[in-house]
Amino acid sequence: MTTPSTTLYGIPNCDTVKRARAWLDDHDIAYGFHDFKKQGVPEAELDRWLAALGWETLVNRRGTTWRKLDDATRESVVDAASARAVLLANPSLIKRPVVDWRQKARQADITAGFDAEQWARSL
Protein backbone atom coordinates (compact mmCIF):
# COMPACT_ATOMS: atom_id res chain seq x y z
CA MET A 1 0.00 0.00 0.00
CA THR A 2 1.38 3.41 -0.91
CA THR A 3 1.36 6.43 1.35
CA PRO A 4 -1.19 9.07 0.31
CA SER A 5 0.45 12.13 -1.18
CA THR A 6 -2.23 14.49 0.18
CA THR A 7 -1.72 15.46 3.80
CA LEU A 8 -4.25 17.24 5.98
CA TYR A 9 -2.80 19.12 8.95
CA GLY A 10 -4.93 20.14 11.88
CA ILE A 11 -6.50 19.28 15.19
CA PRO A 12 -8.89 16.31 15.27
CA ASN A 13 -11.56 17.94 17.45
CA CYS A 14 -11.77 21.09 15.27
CA ASP A 15 -15.18 21.23 13.57
CA THR A 16 -13.68 22.57 10.33
CA VAL A 17 -11.12 19.77 10.26
CA LYS A 18 -13.91 17.24 10.86
CA ARG A 19 -15.89 18.64 7.91
CA ALA A 20 -12.80 18.62 5.69
CA ARG A 21 -11.96 15.03 6.60
CA ALA A 22 -15.55 13.95 5.91
CA TRP A 23 -15.43 15.73 2.55
CA LEU A 24 -12.19 13.98 1.57
CA ASP A 25 -13.64 10.63 2.65
CA ASP A 26 -16.87 11.27 0.71
CA HIS A 27 -14.84 12.03 -2.41
CA ASP A 28 -12.58 8.98 -1.99
CA ILE A 29 -9.43 11.07 -1.67
CA ALA A 30 -6.74 9.24 0.26
CA TYR A 31 -4.89 11.46 2.70
CA GLY A 32 -2.63 11.32 5.67
CA PHE A 33 -3.52 13.24 8.82
CA HIS A 34 -0.98 15.21 10.84
CA ASP A 35 -2.25 16.08 14.32
CA PHE A 36 -0.76 19.35 15.58
CA LYS A 37 -1.59 18.43 19.18
CA LYS A 38 0.21 15.07 19.11
CA GLN A 39 2.86 15.63 16.45
CA GLY A 40 3.49 19.36 16.71
CA VAL A 41 3.89 21.78 13.85
CA PRO A 42 6.54 20.61 11.37
CA GLU A 43 8.84 23.61 11.09
CA ALA A 44 9.98 22.94 7.51
CA GLU A 45 6.36 22.58 6.39
CA LEU A 46 5.37 25.77 8.24
CA ASP A 47 8.09 27.59 6.32
CA ARG A 48 6.64 26.21 3.06
CA TRP A 49 3.14 27.31 4.04
CA LEU A 50 4.32 30.78 4.97
CA ALA A 51 6.10 31.10 1.61
CA ALA A 52 3.15 29.76 -0.39
CA LEU A 53 0.21 31.34 1.44
CA GLY A 54 1.62 34.27 3.37
CA TRP A 55 1.50 34.75 7.12
CA GLU A 56 -1.76 36.71 6.98
CA THR A 57 -3.58 33.67 5.59
CA LEU A 58 -2.15 31.23 8.14
CA VAL A 59 -2.80 33.24 11.28
CA ASN A 60 -6.38 32.61 12.38
CA ARG A 61 -7.37 35.91 13.97
CA ARG A 62 -11.01 34.87 14.32
CA GLY A 63 -10.55 32.02 16.78
CA THR A 64 -10.49 31.83 20.54
CA THR A 65 -6.74 31.16 20.64
CA TRP A 66 -6.06 34.56 19.07
CA ARG A 67 -8.43 36.29 21.46
CA LYS A 68 -6.77 34.60 24.44
CA LEU A 69 -3.32 35.92 23.50
CA ASP A 70 -2.14 38.95 25.43
CA ASP A 71 -2.18 42.28 23.60
CA ALA A 72 1.61 42.43 23.31
CA THR A 73 1.77 39.05 21.58
CA ARG A 74 -1.04 39.92 19.17
CA GLU A 75 0.59 43.26 18.36
CA SER A 76 3.95 41.56 17.77
CA VAL A 77 2.62 39.54 14.81
CA VAL A 78 3.61 41.87 11.99
CA ASP A 79 5.50 39.72 9.48
CA ALA A 80 6.33 36.14 8.54
CA ALA A 81 9.09 35.77 11.13
CA SER A 82 6.98 37.00 14.03
CA ALA A 83 3.99 34.96 12.84
CA ARG A 84 6.18 31.85 12.59
CA ALA A 85 7.27 32.14 16.20
CA VAL A 86 3.71 32.62 17.47
CA LEU A 87 2.34 29.79 15.30
CA LEU A 88 4.98 27.36 16.55
CA ALA A 89 4.19 28.29 20.16
CA ASN A 90 0.41 28.16 19.55
CA PRO A 91 -0.49 25.54 16.91
CA SER A 92 -4.21 26.25 17.41
CA LEU A 93 -3.60 29.66 15.81
CA ILE A 94 -2.99 28.09 12.41
CA LYS A 95 -5.99 28.41 10.12
CA ARG A 96 -7.28 24.89 9.70
CA PRO A 97 -7.01 22.67 7.96
CA VAL A 98 -3.83 23.14 6.03
CA VAL A 99 -3.82 20.70 3.14
CA ASP A 100 -0.83 19.77 1.03
CA TRP A 101 -2.33 18.62 -2.27
CA ARG A 102 0.81 17.29 -3.92
CA GLN A 103 -1.22 14.71 -5.87
CA LYS A 104 -3.56 17.32 -7.41
CA ALA A 105 -1.75 19.07 -10.24
CA ARG A 106 -4.69 21.37 -10.98
CA GLN A 107 -5.13 22.45 -7.38
CA ALA A 108 -3.01 24.90 -5.47
CA ASP A 109 -0.20 22.95 -3.85
CA ILE A 110 -1.22 24.15 -0.37
CA THR A 111 -4.51 25.47 0.97
CA ALA A 112 -5.60 26.73 4.37
CA GLY A 113 -9.19 26.50 5.53
CA PHE A 114 -12.03 24.42 4.16
CA ASP A 115 -14.05 25.53 1.16
CA ALA A 116 -16.06 22.61 -0.27
CA GLU A 117 -16.94 24.48 -3.47
CA GLN A 118 -13.32 25.41 -4.17
CA TRP A 119 -12.16 21.87 -3.44
CA ALA A 120 -14.87 20.38 -5.71
CA ARG A 121 -13.92 22.69 -8.60
CA SER A 122 -10.33 21.52 -8.27
CA LEU A 123 -11.12 17.82 -8.65
Side-chain angles (χ1 to χ4, degrees):
M1 182 175 194
T2 61
T3 303
S5 55
T6 296
T7 304
L8 186 138
Y9 296 85
I11 297 167
N13 64 343
C14 170
D15 288 340
T16 305
V17 169
K18 288 177 185 178
R19 286 192 310 272
R21 292 179 81 175
W23 189 94
L24 291 169
D25 291 341
D26 290 347
H27 289 81
D28 295 321
I29 297 173
Y31 64 94
F33 179 69
H34 182 101
D35 183 343
F36 288 149
K37 294 288 187 184
K38 290 182 180 175
Q39 298 168 278
V41 177
E43 291 189 44
E45 291 302 307
L46 179 59
D47 292 338
R48 251 181 94 231
W49 306 338
L50 287 165
L53 301 172
W55 68 271
E56 299 93 341
T57 298
L58 282 177
V59 177
N60 181 4
R61 292 186 170 138
R62 295 172 57 190
T64 56
T65 303
W66 179 258
R67 290 190 298 272
K68 288 181 181 179
L69 293 176
D70 60 79
D71 290 341
T73 302
R74 285 195 305 265
E75 292 168 8
S76 74
V77 180
V78 295
D79 59 16
S82 58
R84 182 183 192 276
V86 172
L87 293 172
L88 286 171
N90 303 279
S92 296
L93 264 181
I94 298 173
K95 184 173 184 175
R96 298 178 301 270
V98 174
V99 182
D100 185 336
W101 300 91
R102 293 184 193 203
Q103 75 178 10
K104 298 290 180 192
R106 293 179 309 195
Q107 182 149 12
D109 193 33
I110 300 166
T111 59
F114 174 60
D115 182 337
E117 290 179 14
Q118 176 195 19
W119 288 15
R121 283 191 305 267
S122 298
L123 287 180

